[in-house]
Every structure is written in C-alpha cells, then in structure tokens.
C-alpha cells in the first residue's frame, strides 16, 4: 500500500521542541534517517530539504524507484496547523485522488494527523479516533507510564509522582535511602534531556541524566528546583531511585490496525564516558541489535513488554511504540518509560530488514556508530568503497551510511552489519581507523535523540 510519510519531528514534547535550538542540525539529521522508510510510490512530507545524493544511495540500497516518490518540503516543523495548511491538503488530495488504499505513517500521531486523514478520505479507524482525542498524550508522559505500568505488571524503580515542592522534597528525601541517588524527571520530556540526578555521593555523570547535582538541603532550595523543572500548565514531576545498570535496552513494537502486537527489534544502548569542554559526560554513541542481555531476563522483559503493548492496543493506539528497560548491577529488571512514536532504532531495523530479510537477527548483528568524523556524504561513500567496507549483498556484511549532515561539519552515522558480535567489533575497529571516530564529544552525541 502506498503511504504518506509525515516527518513531524519535534512537535509533541516541549523539551524536544527545544532540541533544534540547542543542536541546530538535529532536525535535518532526523529527516535524513527517515529517507530509509520510503518505498516506491510514496509521498514524503518533510520540514526540510532532502539530500538528493543521499536519497539516490538509499534508493539503490532499498530497491526504490526514486522517480515514483513525491517529496513536498514545507520549510518549517510540521505542527498540526502546518499539516492542515490548505495548500498542502489540496496537493495531497490531488495525489491521493480518493484511493482508499493509502495510509499515513507519521512520527507522532497527533490531532492534525487524524484530521488530515479525514480530509484525504483515508480510513479513519480507531487509531485516528484515538489520535483525534490526543490519546498519545496518555503514553508519552512519565507519570502516566508509572500509573499504567503498575496495572500491567511491569517492575519499576521505587518512585513517586509529585505535584508540589513539598511533595518533591518528601519524595527525594525518602527515595535517597534506596541507593543514595535519585533522578527527578520532567513529566513531558524525552531522551534524558529533562532528567536531573541528585546524589549524596560524588557528583559523577550518570547515564540517562542531563546532569548530576548535590541534593537540595531544604524546602526553599527544593522550591527553586520545582520552578526550574515544572511546566506552569501541568506541574508534575516524577522522582525515582537511580540504579546502576549492566544492560540498557528497549523493545520496538508495531500495533497494527486490528490491534495485533508485533515485536520489531530489541536494541541495546551503546554509551561511553566522554569529555566536552573538560567536563565528563555520558554520550549515546549508537545502538546494537539484538540486545546482548541475559537470556532469561530478556525473555521476561519481552513477555512483560508485550503485555503492556497489548494493553496500549486495547486503549486504541495504533502505530509504533517502544518500551525502555534496564538490568541493574544486582540483576533486577526495571522498566523506565514508553514512547508512542518512532524510536532511534526503527531506521536500523528497517535497513536490516531491507538488506537481510525479516529474520535478520537470527544470524546477524547490526550496530550503529553515530560519531564518524564529519565529511561530505560522497567523500564518506568513496572512502567505504575504496577500502571495500561498504555493504556487500553476497557476503551479507559491511557498512551502510544511515545519516549524515546536513552540514559537512556534522558527524556521520553508519550501520555495521555482520554475522557475529566479534565480527562487528572487527569492522568497528576498521571504521575507527579508516573513517575515524570523533573522540571529542560532539553536540549531536550529547543529545540523547529519540529519533
């Protein structure tokens, strides 16, 4: 079925809306990655121009008839009012021409997406009714996740949902007794950008937290923190005990029109401690699929995650969703959050499926490297070809360029495909040697992207 790809990044979460200001090229990189979702005959609605050279590369790799793909660029983030602009709606109506086989594939399922479906005559099933009522809001807030997860049997970190400075003070004081460190999370944020860790110990950087601070010592200091982190229209924070991890991974699910839940992939986070401006910072440097976690724990997590996804389907949500989890250093399984939108691992899964087939994880490992040193796309591609490192369909291994730029000063993201983790590590070393990896922390690494 032909689809309309809607690249409505950065439209739902306030903290994510600020990412383009802090990392100016983040939106462009996200849209570069999204080219991999296209199929022959699709329409892409993009907030930015798409790189023709890179799109040709994607089309060759994925067997896409590029001439049959329509791209319309709006020149601004795709908020609902932009999606419902009369000119865009008329253009899409002319292209769709009343064909009921068309579908929509948005990053975020919003009210505007539901209204656009109605205007285009695309089947407005329960998923569009759910979106029209802002149903995704139930699934993208950390407080709601804790409330829903308890009822679905997901193990959580000890925590509390707080609605006042006094409640925040009590929660932080009580939860410090668990591990000596707590994380205060903004309710409507993403990617760790709204998380502040407070500790009674050394102020070391911690994975999943934007910064580590000493514990405020009185209610007045806590009230200042409250004002800093809360939204005036919805003053809610989540406080949880912090636990050191040995594995951090997530499950990517797709919920189909009939409510069927399908597991797509289970990526593991690759992180490293780096430095920027002399300060140590944990950086997300890529994902690896499948996750290398204890088998029984992974099976337990998969089962519980599928239960939760089924509950989400019963509510009416349809589309992509992901559920984060960790294994602590004492062996416990803890779930962290749910995101009802595309994940950073979806594009990697899409590439591997195109190149290797749906059961690629039976006999392959794929691993992304987000911090390959900046270079023009064509130069990176030439370097891979010259050294025989590009993906080879016969050997079924090699390196694929996932995203670049859009500026020549931005890091490139690559995907390593091989038949074992050992071979992945060997190819990773070659990437380090031949293409070079940025050892200094780039801003694009520091942003724990949700895309």
């Amino acid at each position: 079925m032909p689809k309309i790809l809607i690249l409505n990044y950065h439209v739902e979460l306030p903290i994510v809306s600020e990412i383009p200001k802090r990392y100016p090229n983040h939106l462009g990189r996200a849209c570069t990655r999204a080219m991999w979702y296209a199929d022959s005959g699709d329409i892409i609605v993009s907030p930015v121009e798409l790189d023709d050279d890179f799109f040709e590369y994607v089309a060759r790799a994925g067997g896409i008839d590029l001439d049959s793909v329509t791209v319309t660029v709006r020149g601004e983030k795709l908020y609902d009012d932009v999606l419902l602009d009369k000119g865009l709606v008329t253009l899409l109506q002319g292209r769709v021409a009343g064909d009921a086989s068309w579908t929509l594939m948005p990053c975020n399922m919003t009210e505007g997406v539901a209204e656009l479906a109605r205007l285009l005559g695309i089947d407005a099933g329960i998923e569009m009714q759910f979106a029209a009522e802002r149903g995704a809001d139930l699934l993208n807030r950390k407080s709601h996740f804790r409330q829903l997860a308890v009822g679905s049997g997901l193990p959580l970190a000890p925590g509390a949902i707080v609605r006042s400075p006094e409640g925040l003070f009590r929660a932080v004081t009580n939860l410090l007794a668990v591990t000596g460190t707590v994380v205060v999370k903004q309710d409507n944020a993403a990617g760790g950008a709204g998380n502040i860790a407070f500790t009674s110990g050394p102020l070391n950087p911690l994975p999943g937290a934007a910064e580590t601070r000493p514990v405020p010592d009185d209610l007045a200091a806590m009230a200042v923190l409250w004002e800093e982190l809360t939204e005036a229209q919805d003053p809610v924070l989540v406080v949880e005990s912090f636990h050191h991890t040995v594995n951090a991974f997530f499950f990517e699910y797709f919920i189909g029109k009939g409510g069927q839940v399908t597991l797509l992939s289970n990526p593991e986070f690759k992180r490293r401690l780096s430095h920027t401006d002399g300060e140590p910072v944990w950086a997300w440097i890529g994902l690896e699929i499948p996750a290398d976690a204890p088998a029984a724990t992974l099976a337990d997590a998969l089962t519980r995650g599928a239960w939760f996804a089924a509950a989400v389907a019963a509510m009416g949500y349809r589309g992509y969703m992901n559920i984060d989890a960790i294994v602590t250093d004492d062996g416990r399984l803890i779930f962290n959050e749910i995101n009802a939108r595309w994940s950073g691992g979806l594009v990697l899964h899409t590439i591997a499926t195109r190149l290797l087939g749906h059961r690629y994880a039976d006999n392959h490992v794929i691993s992304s490297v987000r911090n390959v040193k900046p270079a023009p796309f064509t130069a990176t591609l030439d370097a891979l070809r010259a050294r025989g490192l590009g993906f080879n369909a016969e050997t079924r291994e090699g390196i694929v360029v996932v995203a670049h730029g859009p500026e020549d000063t931005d890091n490139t993201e690559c995907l390593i495909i091989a038949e074992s983790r050992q071979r992945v590590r060997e190819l990773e070393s070659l990437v380090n040697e031949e293409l070079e990896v940025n050892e200094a922390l780039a801003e694009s690494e520091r942003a724990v992207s949700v895309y």
Side-chain angles (χ1 to χ4, degrees):
M1 295 184 293
K3 64 182 181 292
I4 302 175
L5 269 168
I6 300 174
L7 311 188
N8 58 342
Y9 298 108
H10 311 320
V11 299
E12 278 295 278
L13 307 176
I15 192 71
V16 173
S17 299
E18 294 302 311
I19 283 179
K21 296 178 184 177
R22 297 159 56 204
Y23 314 105
N25 297 328
H26 187 272
L27 181 60
R29 285 178 59 82
C31 292
T32 300
R33 296 172 110 244
M35 294 183 203
W36 288 100
Y37 300 136
D39 289 295
S40 299
D42 284 353
I43 300 171
I44 302 176
V45 183
S46 174
V48 300
E49 294 284 348
L50 302 181
D51 185 299
D52 290 339
D53 288 338
F54 187 73
F55 211 169
E56 289 179 9
Y57 168 75
V58 171
R60 286 195 303 272
I64 301 166
D65 176 9
L66 198 55
D67 291 336
S68 71
V69 177
T70 301
V71 179
T72 177
V73 177
R74 307 314 294 170
E76 57 185 320
K77 287 182 286 186
L78 301 182
Y79 290 110
D80 283 353
D81 59 342
V82 177
L83 283 182
L84 299 177
D85 173 76
K86 185 177 181 180
L88 177 60
V89 172
T90 300
L91 185 153
L92 295 177
Q93 285 173 332
R95 182 73 174 82
V96 170
D99 184 349
S101 67
W102 281 87
T103 61
L104 298 182
M105 183 179 167
C107 176
N108 288 287
M109 190 66 79
T110 66
E111 290 176 276
V113 170
E115 177 63 9
L116 181 62
R118 187 189 70 79
L119 292 171
L120 297 179
I122 293 174
D123 180 28
I126 191 173
E127 68 269 27
M128 292 305 173
Q129 298 172 37
F130 190 72
E133 300 295 337
R134 299 188 60 86
D137 287 358
L138 293 171
L139 307 175
N140 287 321
R141 290 181 178 269
K142 293 175 175 61
S143 59
H144 293 166
F145 171 71
R146 287 191 67 87
Q147 293 164 338
L148 296 171
V150 168
S152 299
L154 297 189
L156 303 175
I161 300 166
V162 299
R163 298 181 179 276
S164 68
E166 294 80 7
L168 178 60
F169 187 73
R170 284 194 302 271
V172 169
T173 301
N174 293 338
L175 290 167
L176 271 175
V178 180
T179 65
T181 302
V182 301
V183 177
V184 178
K185 300 179 177 181
Q186 288 182 321
D187 194 32
N188 196 21
N195 298 349
I196 306 295
F198 293 90
T199 183
S200 55
L203 301 181
N204 297 323
L206 298 172
E211 58 181 300
T212 306
R213 302 180 185 177
V215 180
D217 53 10
D218 57 27
L219 181 56
M222 197 68 76
V224 173
L225 173 67
W226 175 264
E227 291 299 322
E228 175 189 347
L229 295 181
T230 55
E231 302 172 47
Q233 68 273 24
D234 191 12
V236 178
L237 295 174
V238 170
V239 185
E240 294 178 343
S241 58
F242 177 86
H243 297 263
H244 291 282
T245 68
V246 292
N247 298 99
F249 54 87
F250 63 92
F251 298 111
E252 180 89 32
Y253 295 98
F254 179 74
I255 302 176
K257 280 190 172 293
Q260 305 94 336
V261 175
T262 301
L263 174 69
L264 300 180
S265 66
N266 64 312
E268 183 168 12
F269 291 100
K270 296 162 57 181
R271 296 187 176 108
R272 67 175 169 83
L273 191 62
S274 187
H275 290 77
T276 181
D277 299 326
E279 294 294 325
V281 178
W282 278 98
W284 170 38
I285 59 171
L287 297 170
E288 190 154 296
I289 305 173
D292 186 18
T297 301
L298 198 60
D300 183 26
L302 171 59
T303 301
R304 292 174 184 272
W307 291 345
F308 190 80
V312 169
M315 293 179 201
Y317 179 75
R318 300 291 183 267
Y320 297 92
M321 61 171 285
N322 48 89
I323 304 174
D324 290 12
I326 62 170
V327 180
T328 66
D329 53 5
D330 57 357
R332 283 180 293 163
L333 173 66
I334 291 175
F335 283 83
N336 292 327
E337 66 178 14
I338 176 179
N339 297 296
R341 57 177 177 266
W342 300 347
S343 78
L346 180 59
V347 65
L348 310 182
H349 168 77
T350 300
I351 293 170
T353 300
R354 286 186 184 278
L355 298 181
L356 302 172
H358 287 284
R359 293 186 177 272
Y360 66 88
D362 281 351
N363 44 38
H364 280 79
V365 175
I366 65 173
S367 186
S368 63
V369 182
R370 299 179 67 240
N371 56 331
V372 174
K373 278 193 173 180
F377 167 66
T378 52
T380 299
L381 201 57
D382 288 344
L384 288 173
R385 288 170 176 163
R387 294 158 177 78
L389 292 175
F391 178 77
N392 185 310
E394 293 184 3
T395 62
R396 294 167 65 83
E397 79 165 29
I399 297 167
V400 176
V401 181
V402 176
H404 73 97
E407 302 297 330
D408 289 347
T409 54
D410 295 327
N411 285 346
T412 296
E413 180 180 5
C414 292
L415 180 65
I416 300 170
I417 300 174
E419 292 186 352
S420 68
R421 293 189 200 278
Q422 179 180 345
R423 182 57 178 158
V424 163
R425 299 287 86 81
E426 292 171 359
L427 290 174
E428 204 167 55
S429 295
L430 288 174
V431 169
N432 292 348
E433 294 171 8
E434 303 293 345
L435 296 182
E436 297 185 76
V437 167
N438 261 336
E439 294 302 329
L441 180 63
E443 287 296 299
S444 58
E445 290 179 74
R446 191 170 185 175
V448 184
S449 170
V450 293
Y451 308 117

